[in-house]
């Protein structure tokens, strides 16, 4: 069918457009491939042929997967995952792949489209090489001849209508390819007029529609140049390219807004004829910024590596060859030049322990890395050093990356500290041993003194003078025992050996006993002593009664001692609570001891609780200064604390609190009569008591005491004799001394318990100990003892323990519980002025002797001086007798009107 002139003109126009687009696609840097439904390549541009290093004829007709093997994570992908297959299925999205070509691995970003034109089953694939630091191909040859051949073939072999249809189809495919490319493309003729462009180009340069219609080329180029940091250079480059149309160009453009474009330009050729130029722009802002950030990061870490004070390096996994190290790492092993180590020496050469490398890698295999791994090294000069290493393997580069720091000085310090610690522990053990021995050596003779004094007091044939002397012995012994206990308590605190000994006790009775104790001393000084006990104070509690008593006595003693007039108040309240982790109900006890005494200077408040420190306000210029320090340690041990507030000249207030638990029913300690035991109630079993002690004096005390009231008593000198007597005599109770020669009490008790296993009637074993350590009780009970008594002991405690464990009933002396006659009569306390007036009637030599005796705590001498007081001064004699019996020597001095520390009495 003949074609009209109009149809022929349309075909020529289509051919021209197709030719231009083909030439443009052939000039761009991205590789473009057309793949048909049969998976064969239908067409490719010059960039794709260049990537494969093949001619077009060696590509067309081959299957795409035969030409290129795509990989991900170094593994080939399945055929059904190839881009052209997924594009035909409409499931493809832009993806990165690994491709090995020419013994190199490249990273390709493959995108694509699938045209929607009816009857067109061609997938368009666009390939961009995004391999880091991989230069983009910059010199592509035109494939215009091939496209011209396609056009000529179409003219020769097809009818006009067919040719027009195929040209339109090819144009549609080329247009889709053109628009799917991610680069901005601009094609111009020899005169600079715009021939073709894609939408990406317009977006990249923000070109408004009216600019495309601008007839002046210079205005269009100026619009582009004004967006750049260096517009003049851009214009010069454009001018140069137009003057040399055959030249290729590749450079970078920096925008004012921070973007960076890669610009490529090449001539458009048809045969040898140049009829235009193609400009390709690629936005590489992100890769450039990433590349710059990577460069800076590498430089930063290189600076850290080279300037770090820590040794940093890499060694080969296979054999430890140093691949890279910094200067501190070299210096640790004694080298000053890094070049002497890198690539020449091996890390295991410097490890003292030949198994160190194997142990290091065993830990790496288990945890993936090592941290703070201590390793001993031998330097080049033979010196041994210690390093602290952290390391992890880099499997990709087959190396071990590590950091190491020289800790030789620290190791030496640790060794010195360890030696010092061992020396301190040895000294502490020696101190504890000394305390145990000192306690035993002091308490054992005191036990004999007080024990025999108590035995002598039971003698009914003694006259008043003898009884008074025995009372003096007892009081002096008790006073000495209190002094010894204070010194030992402070020593135990310093040695860390002080512990709580919590037992149920009657809180009300404790407070009443303490109030009775201080009432006489307060009356002697005409002070008002008040105990204000809240109704919510529980009666029975679990706590360390001895330590609480000691604290209260110390604080009240100071308050009475240093108050000249006014009042001393003790207030006690409780706050009930239940601990989360305990079933027993608990409470916090609050105590407040307030006086109207001298007060304490502000600068002395902070020093009150320091041991061996005395106040400068004359409140504690005598004594050792241990009382408050011991009290604070005891209170803190019981879960509380103590503080003081004071106004100089107005008085002081000490407040403390402690945490206790309530004693449940049946927990209260047994209550025994405190009267004087004179015998056993009839119709009771004959109780056999065995006393085991290597000291004859201590044996004799208990033997006489118990024999006098009706017990059968025998004695043994050591543990072996005790076991033998127990086997033959079967005593009900054994009083067992724990420190003896031949066999001590611990071993003897354990042996008796072992032999008595399975027997119904077990012998009660009560330990006798002169130890000052309360924690020893748990050791004694663990050995098999039922109870313990500390030396020196009062006779009543022996009788109470027998009553507790055997249920013994005693006979008591009828007047054994009668109060002291002086106390029972409740004489009114005379005023201090009255006593001073009586003292003024005594001779000066007598007054001087009384002062000296009170200052030297010599109760016997004071009693001798009291006997010299005439009957007309009976009140003076009575008051001095009461004070002396209760060791109130400070009060005697105060009645005399003499300040503490005075050298001579001034009456």
């Amino acid at each position: 069918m003949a074609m009209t002139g109009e149809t022929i003109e349309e075909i020529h126009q289509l051919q021209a457009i197709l030719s231009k687009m083909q030439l443009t696609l052939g000039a761009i840097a991205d590789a473009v491939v057309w793949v048909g439904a049969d998976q064969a390549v239908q067409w490719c541009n010059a960039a794709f042929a260049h990537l494969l290093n093949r001619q077009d004829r060696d590509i067309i007709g081959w299957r795409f997967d035969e030409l290129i093997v795509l990989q991900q994570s170094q593994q080939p992908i399945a055929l059904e995952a190839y881009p052209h297959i997924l594009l035909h299925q409409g499931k493809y999205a832009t993806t990165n792949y690994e491709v090995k070509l020419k013994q190199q691995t490249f990273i390709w970003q493959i995108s694509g489209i699938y045209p929607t034109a009816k009857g067109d089953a061609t997938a368009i694939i666009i390939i961009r090489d995004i391999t880091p630091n991989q230069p983009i191909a910059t010199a592509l040859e035109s494939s215009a001849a091939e496209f011209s051949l396609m056009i000529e073939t179409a003219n020769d072999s097809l009818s006009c209508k067919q040719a027009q249809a195929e040209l339109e189809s090819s144009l549609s495919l080329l247009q889709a390819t053109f628009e799917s490319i991610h680069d901005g493309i601009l094609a111009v003729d020899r005169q600079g007029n715009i021939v073709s462009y894609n939408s990406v180009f317009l977006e990249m340069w923000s070109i408004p529609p009216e600019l495309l219609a601008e007839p002046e080329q210079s205005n269009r180029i100026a619009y582009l140049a004004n967006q750049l940091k260096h517009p003049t250079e851009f214009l010069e480059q454009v001018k140069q390219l137009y003057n040399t149309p055959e030249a290729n160009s590749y450079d970078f453009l920096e925008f004012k807004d921070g973007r960076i474009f890669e610009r490529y330009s090449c001539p458009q050729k048809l045969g040898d004829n140049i009829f235009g130029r193609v400009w390709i722009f690629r936005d590489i802002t992100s890769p450039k910024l990433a590349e710059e950030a990577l460069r800076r990061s590498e430089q930063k870490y290189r600076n850290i590596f080279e300037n770090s004070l820590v040794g940093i390096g890499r060694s080969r996994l296979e054999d430890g060859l140093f691949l890279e190290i910094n200067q501190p790492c070299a210096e640790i092993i004694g080298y000053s030049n890094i070049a002497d180590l890198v690539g020449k020496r091996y890390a295991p050469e410097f490890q003292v322990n030949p198994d160190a490398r194997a142990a290091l890698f065993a830990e790496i295999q288990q945890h993936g890395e090592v941290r703070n791994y201590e390793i001993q090294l031998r330097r080049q000069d033979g010196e041994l050093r210690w390093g602290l290493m952290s390391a992890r393997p880099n499997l990709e580069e087959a190396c071990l990356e590590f950091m190491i720091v020289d800790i030789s000085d620290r190791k030496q310090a640790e060794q010195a500290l360890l030696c010092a610690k061992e020396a301190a522990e040895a000294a502490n053990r020696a101190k504890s041993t000394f305390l145990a021995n000192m306690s035993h050596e002091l308490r054992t003779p005191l036990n004999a003194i007080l024990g025999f004094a108590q035995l002598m007091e039971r003698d009914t044939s003694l006259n008043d003078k003898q009884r008074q002397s025995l009372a003096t012995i007892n009081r002096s012994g008790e006073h000495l025992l209190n002094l010894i206990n204070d010194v030992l308590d402070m020593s135990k605190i310093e040695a860390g050996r002080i512990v709580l000994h919590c037992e149920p006790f009657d809180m009300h009775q404790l407070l009443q006993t303490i109030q009775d104790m201080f009432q006489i001393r307060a009356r002697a000084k005409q002070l008002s002593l008040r105990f204000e006990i809240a109704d919510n104070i529980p009666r029975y509690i679990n706590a360390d009664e001895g330590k609480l008593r000691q604290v209260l006595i110390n604080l009240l003693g100071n308050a009475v001692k240093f108050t000249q007039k006014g009042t001393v108040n003790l207030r006690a309240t409780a706050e009930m609570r239940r601990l989360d982790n305990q079933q027993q109900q608990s409470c916090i006890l609050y105590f407040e001891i307030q006086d109207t005494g001298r007060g304490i200077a502000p600068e002395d408040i902070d020093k009150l609780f320091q041991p061996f420190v005395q106040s400068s306000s004359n409140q504690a210029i005598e004594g050792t200064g241990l009382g408050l320090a011991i009290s604070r340690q005891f209170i803190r041990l019981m879960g509380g604390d103590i503080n003081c507030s004071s106004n100089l000249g107005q008085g002081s207030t000490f407040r403390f609190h402690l945490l206790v638990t309530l004693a449940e029913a049946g927990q209260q300690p047994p209550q025994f009569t405190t009267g004087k035991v004179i015998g056993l109630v009839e119709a009771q079993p004959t109780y056999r008591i065995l006393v085991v002690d290597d000291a004859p004096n201590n044996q004799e005390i208990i033997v006489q005491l118990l024999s006098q009231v009706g017990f059968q008593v025998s004695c043994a000198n050591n543990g072996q004799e005790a076991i033998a007597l127990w086997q033959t005599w079967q005593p009900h109770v054994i009083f067992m001394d724990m420190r003896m020669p031949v066999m001590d009490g611990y071993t003897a008790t354990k042996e008796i318990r072992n032999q008595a296993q399975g027997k119904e009637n077990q012998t009660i074993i009560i330990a006798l100990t002169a130890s000052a350590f309360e924690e020893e009780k748990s050791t004694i009970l663990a050995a098999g003892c039922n109870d313990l008594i500390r030396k020196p002991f009062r006779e009543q405690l022996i009788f109470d323990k027998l009553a507790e464990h055997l249920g013994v009933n005693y006979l008591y002396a009828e007047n054994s519980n009668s109060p002291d006659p002086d106390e029972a009569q409740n004489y009114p306390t005379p005023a201090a002025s009255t006593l001073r007036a009586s003292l003024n009637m005594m001779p000066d030599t007598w007054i001087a002797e009384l002062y000296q005796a009170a200052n030297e705590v010599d109760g016997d001498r004071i009693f001798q001086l009291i006997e010299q007081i005439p009957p007309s001064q009976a009140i003076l004699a009575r008051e001095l007798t009461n004070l002396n019996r209760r060791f109130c020597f400070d009060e005697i001095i105060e009645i005399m009107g003499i300040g503490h520390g005075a050298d001579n009495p001034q009456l």
Side-chain angles (χ1 to χ4, degrees), residues 11 35 50 157 268 371 491 494 576 643 669 681 685 780 817 877:
I11 290 175
V35 181
H50 179 75
S157 60
Q268 252 185 324
R371 291 182 177 272
S491 299
E494 292 179 345
M576 308 304 294
N643 61 74
V681 174
I780 290 173
N817 289 321

Side-chain angles (χ1 to χ4, degrees), residues 374 385-386 406-422:
E374 293 187 359
R385 307 290 288 179
W386 279 95
D406 190 334
I407 60 168
S408 302
D409 293 340
R410 193 192 81 183
K411 293 291 285 185
Q412 292 177 0
E414 288 177 355
Q415 185 62 34
L417 184 62
L418 179 62
C419 293
K421 178 176 178 291
E422 292 175 351

Side-chain angles (χ1 to χ4, degrees), residues 506-513 533-535 537-540:
D506 189 333
M507 183 66 189
H508 292 184
Q509 183 181 359
L510 172 64
L511 293 174
Q512 184 62 52
T513 301
I533 311 302
D535 294 337
I537 290 290
R539 180 166 186 177
Y540 296 110

Side-chain angles (χ1 to χ4, degrees), residues 515 518-519 521-523 525-532 552 555-571 592-597 652:
Q515 184 177 15
F518 283 96
Q519 196 65 56
R521 297 180 61 181
R523 286 210 320 264
K525 299 185 66 174
Q526 295 183 321
L527 299 176
S528 173
L529 177 65
R530 293 199 296 263
F531 273 46
E532 301 172 13
L552 290 172
L555 295 176
L556 283 169
N558 286 342
V560 172
K561 180 177 181 180
F562 301 119
T563 301
Q564 305 306 318
K565 61 180 180 178
T567 60
V568 174
N569 294 334
L570 182 145
R571 302 181 185 92
E592 182 178 287
I593 292 88
Q594 183 180 32
D595 64 59
T596 57
S652 305

Side-chain angles (χ1 to χ4, degrees), residues 308-313 322 325-338 341 347 350-352 375-390 402-409:
S308 173
L309 299 178
V310 176
I312 306 174
F322 288 120
I325 61 172
N326 64 355
Q327 189 63 34
C329 183
E331 291 174 355
I332 289 176
I333 52 179
Y335 283 80
S336 58
N337 191 353
I338 296 174
L341 291 168
F350 303 97
Q351 296 169 2
V352 175
I375 187 168
Q376 193 172 21
L377 304 171
R378 180 178 288 105
R379 289 163 52 93
Q380 182 186 20
D381 57 9
E383 181 185 358
L384 298 183
R385 307 290 288 179
W386 279 95
L388 188 68
M389 174 185 286
S390 295
F402 63 87
M403 291 192 303
I404 187 168
V405 61
D406 190 334
I407 60 168
S408 302
D409 293 340

Side-chain angles (χ1 to χ4, degrees), residues 490 493 498 628-638:
M490 197 65 233
I493 289 171
I498 202 76
L628 289 177
I630 293 173
S631 297
R632 182 173 68 171
Q633 294 297 330
F634 284 176
I635 291 169
R636 288 180 173 178
L637 196 62
M638 291 186 282

